[in-house]
């Protein structure tokens, strides 16, 4: 074989993820908050993009209706027609991310919604920070942290600079629950002081608020709180020395060791249960973020369900073609012309991708409602088994697309707000050839059986499995035990002890 340069012509096929397709897939899996942040970044970077309402009033917008789709009872064909017949000013976009042509036939084009009145976007309500319209009610109050709270007490109670240095180090060694993670001897070696100094400072810190702080074990934490209440007597001290027996509910052994009767034991246990085993959590100010639903589902007066996108959860942007025409006539260099062209292309694709995302979410939500109508009407016990493949086959999409659509998307129903993934549950086979049951419905029934049991008849895992099998659910004892543990329900032995105490 001769070695040397030569020219060859080859023809091959390959799957290429274009930047536009990557952008569409990325937008599909974003939550509403993440999508808003992404669009805000694009608005800052692209001069041809603008929010609806920020430009002139003669721009063309999409037609957005109140009702996006309706699900009649037992009429799958009507469901498809309702979704496909949504009024749009842009051409219908298919669900395989093939974008339509000739969308922008006016001065402006929009990333529009799928109903008549509601827009897919965060509408401009009131002023912005740039306008100086600051709503003080929307500002979070600054709350002191645990370290700030403790250091304020150190400044008041400890005067010696060396002791303050030791106290500052001990504060840094607290874990999230308020327990001290270091030992006095190692702390003394690190700081170059005596163990007695560390022990004295620690004793002072253990009297600080909140009670139980700086404990090194659960027993010491409870002991500090009882001492703060003036309730640390001989009985309490004995119970704290035998917390392992308390955890195993060995009441007889505790009565013998502490030399008390059952009534005294019950009073002492009630006192212990009122204590806080994690005192630092009172300073855990986790900001509660409200869940913003992406889809609304409402019952229709004549039956069926009305499904619509939340217009306030999706941003709405415009492409200003008139501004592009003005700027393109003023450019002089090739680099400027290329930059403006790239901005226009990027803006057009963003608009199309936002519309594609809205269409896909609506169709997936409609199919989920059609299949889980029993849950909406009757509750969790009527939840049907459902997997991603079922929705993908019904809509002609890939399972990965359904997975992206259902991630971090929420549906507001008459029974509450649920993530779309909630409606996907594995199947538990039915006994004697019956239909399969949803795993969530089986867990719900299992919880109901345990709540209904009497103290005289506590159901074991075997008994629960037998009861469910009689109800047409093919389930093994080990599966019952797994579901029970997932629900946070104790074993039959512990439940018998707990319910005997309440009698």
């Amino acid at each position: 074989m001769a070695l040397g340069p030569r020219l060859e012509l080859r023809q091959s096929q390959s799957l290429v993820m274009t930047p536009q397709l990557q952008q569409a897939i990325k937008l599909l899996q974003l939550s509403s908050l993440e999508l808003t942040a992404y669009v805000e970044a694009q608005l800052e970077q692209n001069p041809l993009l603008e929010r609806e309402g920020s430009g002139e009033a003669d721009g063309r917008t999409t037609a957005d209706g109140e009702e996006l789709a309706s699900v009649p009872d037992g009429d799958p064909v009507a469901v498809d027609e309702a979704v496909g017949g949504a009024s749009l000013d842009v051409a219908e976009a298919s669900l395989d991310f093939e974008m339509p042509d000739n969308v922008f036939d006016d001065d402006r084009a929009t990333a529009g919604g799928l109903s008549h009145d509601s827009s897919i976007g965060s509408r401009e309500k009131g002023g912005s920070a740039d306008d100086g319209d600051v709503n003080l009610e929307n500002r979070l109050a600054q709350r002191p942290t645990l370290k700030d709270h403790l250091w304020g007490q150190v400044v008041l109670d400890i005067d010696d600079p060396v002791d303050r240095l030791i106290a500052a180090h001990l504060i840094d060694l607290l874990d999230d629950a308020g327990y001290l993670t270091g030992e006095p001897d190692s702390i003394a070696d690190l700081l170059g002081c005596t163990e007695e100094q560390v022990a004295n400072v620690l004793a002072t810190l253990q009297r600080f608020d909140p009670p139980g702080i700086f404990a090194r074990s659960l027993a010491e934490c409870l002991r500090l709180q009882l001492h703060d209440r003036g309730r640390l007597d001989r009985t309490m001290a004995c119970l704290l020395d035998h917390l392992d027996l308390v955890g195993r509910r060995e009441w007889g052994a505790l009565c013998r060791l502490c030399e008390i009767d059952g009534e005294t034991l019950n009073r002492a246990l009630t006192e212990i249960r009122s204590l806080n085993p994690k005192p630092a959590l009172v300073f855990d100010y986790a900001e509660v973020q409200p869940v913003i639903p992406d889809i609304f589902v409402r019952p229709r007066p004549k039956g069926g369900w009305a499904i619509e996108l939340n217009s306030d959860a999706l941003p709405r942007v415009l492409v200003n073609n008139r501004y592009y025409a003005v700027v393109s006539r003023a450019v002089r260099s090739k680099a400027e012309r290329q930059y403006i062209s790239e901005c226009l292309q990027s803006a057009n694709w963003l608009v199309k991708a936002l519309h594609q995302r809205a269409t896909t979410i609506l169709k997936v939500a409609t199919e989920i409602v059609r299949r889980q109508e029993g849950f909406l009407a009757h509750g969790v016990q009527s939840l049907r088994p459902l997997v991603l493949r079922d929705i993908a086959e019904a809509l002609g999409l890939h399972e990965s697309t359904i997975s992206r659509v259902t991630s971090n998307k929420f549906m507001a129903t008459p029974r509450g707000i649920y993530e779309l993934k909630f409606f996907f549950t594995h199947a538990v086979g039915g006994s004697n050839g019956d239909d399969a049951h949803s795993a969530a419905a089986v867990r719900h029934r299992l919880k109901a059986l345990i709540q209904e049991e009497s103290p005289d008849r506590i159901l074991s895992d075997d008994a629960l499995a037998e009861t469910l099998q009689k109800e047409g659910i093919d389930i093994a004892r080990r599966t019952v035990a797994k579901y029970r543990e997932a629900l946070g329900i104790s074993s039959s032995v512990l439940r018998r002890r707990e319910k005997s105490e309440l009698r």
Side-chain angles (χ1 to χ4, degrees):
M1 178 182 296
L3 299 178
R6 60 180 179 179
L7 295 176
E8 290 186 357
L9 182 62
R10 295 182 180 179
Q11 185 176 7
S12 63
Q13 291 182 341
S14 63
L15 181 63
V16 179
M17 292 280 288
T18 64
Q20 292 83 1
L21 181 57
Q22 292 178 13
Q23 182 190 51
I25 293 176
K26 177 182 178 181
L27 293 181
L28 193 60
Q29 63 188 0
L30 295 180
S31 65
S32 58
L33 294 178
E34 293 170 340
L35 180 66
T36 301
Y38 179 82
V39 172
E40 288 293 332
Q42 295 298 314
L43 286 168
E44 294 178 0
Q45 299 172 8
N46 196 328
L48 300 182
L49 281 174
E50 63 181 34
R51 296 182 184 87
E52 182 185 7
S54 61
E56 298 177 2
D58 60 350
R60 180 172 175 270
T61 62
T62 56
D64 291 17
E66 274 292 321
E67 182 176 291
L68 297 183
S70 59
V71 183
D73 292 331
D75 191 359
V77 177
V79 174
D80 295 337
E81 293 175 353
V83 176
S87 176
L88 301 174
D89 277 351
V90 294
E92 285 295 328
S94 62
L95 292 180
D96 56 359
F97 293 104
E98 295 178 1
M99 297 302 181
D101 298 326
N102 301 325
V103 175
F104 308 106
D105 53 0
D106 205 337
D107 290 336
R108 292 182 184 171
T110 72
L114 302 175
S115 66
H116 181 64
D117 293 328
S118 58
S119 63
I120 297 181
S122 301
R123 297 176 179 171
E124 298 289 325
K125 298 182 179 179
S128 63
D130 297 335
D131 299 330
D133 184 9
V134 179
N135 188 355
L136 297 179
E137 295 180 355
N138 293 332
R139 292 181 176 270
L140 294 176
Q142 184 176 3
R143 301 182 180 181
T145 63
L146 176 63
K147 290 185 177 181
D148 295 336
H149 181 68
L150 294 174
W151 186 249
Q153 299 175 75
V154 168
V155 173
L156 294 176
D157 293 358
I158 300 178
D159 298 327
D160 186 83
V162 176
D163 290 345
R164 285 190 177 184
L165 178 63
I166 297 173
H169 187 75
L170 292 176
I171 291 175
D172 290 336
L173 293 178
L174 291 178
D175 62 12
D176 294 337
Y179 288 81
L180 186 65
T181 58
E183 295 296 332
D185 54 349
S186 60
I187 297 173
D189 293 339
L190 179 63
L191 298 180
C193 59
T194 64
E195 291 186 33
E196 182 179 2
Q197 285 180 294
V198 176
N200 291 336
V201 174
L202 178 58
T204 301
L205 296 178
Q206 287 181 342
R207 296 194 296 268
F208 282 4
D209 180 76
I213 200 73
F214 289 100
R216 288 159 291 185
S217 65
L218 175 60
E220 185 176 21
C221 178
L222 301 179
R223 194 185 304 273
L224 291 172
Q225 295 181 57
L226 289 171
H227 184 272
D228 182 72
R229 296 183 179 185
R231 294 284 296 123
L232 186 59
D233 53 19
R234 186 184 66 84
T235 299
M236 291 295 189
C238 179
L239 291 177
L240 295 180
D241 291 336
H242 300 89
L243 282 180
D244 55 334
L245 298 180
V246 175
R248 295 198 298 267
R249 301 179 180 275
E250 298 184 8
W251 312 135
L254 286 171
C255 289
R256 290 192 301 272
L257 289 171
C258 300
E259 300 178 353
I260 55 177
D261 55 17
E263 184 178 354
T264 304
L265 177 63
N266 287 332
R267 289 198 302 268
L269 291 176
T270 301
E271 182 80 20
I272 290 177
R273 292 190 183 103
S274 66
L275 304 176
N276 185 2
K278 298 180 180 181
L281 293 187
V282 298
F283 287 87
D284 185 13
Y285 304 123
E287 297 179 12
V288 179
Q289 297 291 342
V291 174
I292 302 175
D294 299 271
I295 307 106
F296 292 112
V297 178
R298 301 191 307 269
R300 304 187 67 195
K302 297 182 180 180
W305 303 90
I307 303 133
E308 64 181 12
L309 293 175
N310 182 3
S311 60
D312 294 329
L314 301 174
R316 180 166 184 160
V317 294
L318 305 173
V319 180
N320 197 333
N321 284 347
R322 177 172 297 176
Y323 179 65
Y324 166 74
V326 173
V327 174
S328 60
R329 287 195 298 266
V331 296
R332 300 181 180 277
S333 65
K334 180 179 179 181
E336 293 176 349
R337 186 176 296 104
Q338 181 179 1
Y339 171 74
I340 295 299
S341 177
E342 290 177 353
C343 287
L344 178 64
Q345 183 182 15
S346 176
N348 287 342
W349 272 99
L350 178 61
V351 168
K352 297 176 184 179
L354 289 175
H355 167 72
Q356 179 68 69
R357 179 181 184 274
T359 304
T360 308
I361 292 175
L362 179 64
K363 290 192 175 184
V364 171
T366 302
E367 183 64 21
I368 291 175
V369 170
R370 188 180 71 84
R371 290 175 177 264
Q372 298 293 4
E373 186 176 359
F375 164 78
L376 298 175
H378 306 292
V380 180
Q381 65 273 13
S382 299
L383 199 64
R384 296 176 55 189
L386 186 65
V387 294
L388 297 175
R389 183 176 61 256
D390 298 334
I391 303 296
E393 292 177 353
L395 299 178
L397 301 174
H398 195 273
E399 289 184 42
S400 62
T401 302
I402 306 300
S403 178
R404 292 185 179 97
V405 171
T406 55
S407 296
N408 302 314
K409 312 295 189 306
F410 294 86
M411 178 186 293
T413 72
R415 296 191 174 275
I417 300 177
Y418 297 91
E419 188 177 7
L420 292 184
K421 286 191 177 296
F422 166 81
F423 298 97
F424 295 87
T425 61
H426 295 291
V428 177
S431 59
N432 301 323
D434 295 339
D435 294 336
H437 302 267
S438 166
V442 174
R443 287 193 293 267
H444 177 77
R445 178 56 182 155
L446 177 64
K447 183 177 180 180
L449 288 174
I450 294 176
Q451 290 176 343
E452 294 170 359
E453 63 186 6
S454 62
D456 298 328
R457 188 174 179 272
I458 301 298
L459 300 175
S460 63
D461 291 343
D462 289 317
L464 290 169
E466 183 179 353
T467 302
L468 292 174
Q469 288 173 358
K470 291 180 180 178
E471 296 180 358
I473 302 173
D474 186 15
I475 191 170
R477 185 204 62 80
R478 62 180 179 274
T479 306
V480 170
K482 181 179 70 174
Y483 286 175
R484 175 180 54 76
E485 292 173 358
L487 292 170
I489 299 175
S490 55
S491 64
S492 58
V493 176
L494 293 179
R495 296 203 308 273
R496 184 176 293 107
R497 290 179 180 175
E498 292 171 356
K499 295 190 176 183
S500 63
E501 297 173 12
L502 301 176
R503 300 181 62 181

